[in-house]
Amino acid sequence: VKENMNEPKEHPLMITLRDAISGDGFLAGITLSGRALIRKEDDGKWWMYGVRPAAVAESGNTIQEAFSNFRGRYQEILFDLAQENSSFEDFRKEVERFFYEPDANGEDERLWENALTAIRSGSFSPPDEFSGLERKSPETTPSQITVELLSPAAGKRFMPSDNVRDTYSIPTSRAA
């Protein structure tokens, strides 16, 4: 079997994560719509590398395990930021800085875009391990983070519809 040299090793993922984080006198709701790369390394493990946020990477024996470990590491970082910042405003600023800070040379962002282009050009299909994943258009799910103060005193009425499921999906083969 000849390996397709044009096939990217990295596969682009879009991730959605929702957290409620307790800080010093505040409860913050964080909704992340981010980007990650996932690839199977030579050791046979799946590695998930954050693009937005860039400072997170974790591995697992399966895609789901890599996502779960990535998710746990991201949450640990939020807990650390809540511990280190004494006000909601300081916490919000640090979470946003962490999310928007690119990797040192912008390489992961470039790899994500290249992998998306490869999918859209039809030059390769995602591996079988991705067959059950939801497909979404990156254009309809922009990369962003929202950090809001969760407090009835802040005029916020909490509703079950506010809940957001953790998800990961691969880009559609065509633009929205």
Side-chain angles (χ1 to χ4, degrees):
V1 176
K2 190 174 182 181
E3 187 176 325
N4 181 355
M5 297 307 287
N6 293 330
E7 183 174 312
K9 291 182 180 187
E10 294 80 19
H11 304 283
L13 293 179
M14 296 172 297
I15 54 175
T16 302
L17 307 172
R18 171 82 177 184
D19 292 280
I21 303 294
S22 296
D24 189 4
F26 65 86
L27 181 64
I30 298 116
T31 304
L32 174 145
S33 177
R35 304 286 186 260
L37 289 166
I38 192 161
R39 71 173 166 245
K40 198 165 198 174
E41 297 284 1
D42 294 337
D43 64 4
K45 289 190 180 244
W46 286 96
W47 276 87
M48 189 167 171
Y49 299 95
V51 175
R52 284 279 182 267
V56 184
E58 281 295 334
S59 69
N61 292 318
T62 64
I63 293 169
Q64 178 60 40
E65 186 179 299
F67 174 73
S68 181
N69 292 340
F70 182 94
R71 171 78 172 102
R73 181 67 192 116
Y74 165 72
Q75 203 169 45
E76 287 175 21
I77 291 168
L78 294 179
F79 292 160
D80 289 347
L81 291 174
Q83 184 71 39
E84 295 165 5
N85 292 280
S86 59
S87 73
F88 170 75
E89 275 305 311
D90 290 343
F91 174 75
R92 182 186 58 75
K93 286 177 188 167
E94 282 304 303
V95 170
E96 289 173 351
R97 181 198 58 74
F98 163 74
F99 179 77
Y100 289 109
E101 187 172 74
D103 61 304
N105 57 7
E107 181 70 5
D108 289 340
E109 190 97 36
R110 186 185 66 73
L111 290 171
W112 197 94
E113 291 295 334
N114 288 349
L116 175 63
T117 300
I119 287 173
R120 290 193 167 161
S121 72
S123 64
F124 90 101
S125 297
D128 291 342
E129 292 92 341
F130 292 86
S131 64
L133 292 184
E134 181 180 5
R135 273 129 169 100
K136 291 183 178 178
S137 169
E139 291 80 9
T140 60
T141 53
S143 184
Q144 62 187 9
I145 194 161
T146 304
V147 183
E148 57 187 335
L149 185 60
L150 300 179
S151 164
K156 172 92 170 134
R157 181 164 181 255
F158 300 110
M159 305 287 293
S161 60
D162 295 336
N163 295 321
V164 176
R165 222 174 21 107
D166 289 347
T167 63
Y168 56 100
S169 56
I170 60 173
T172 56
S173 58
R174 56 190 174 281

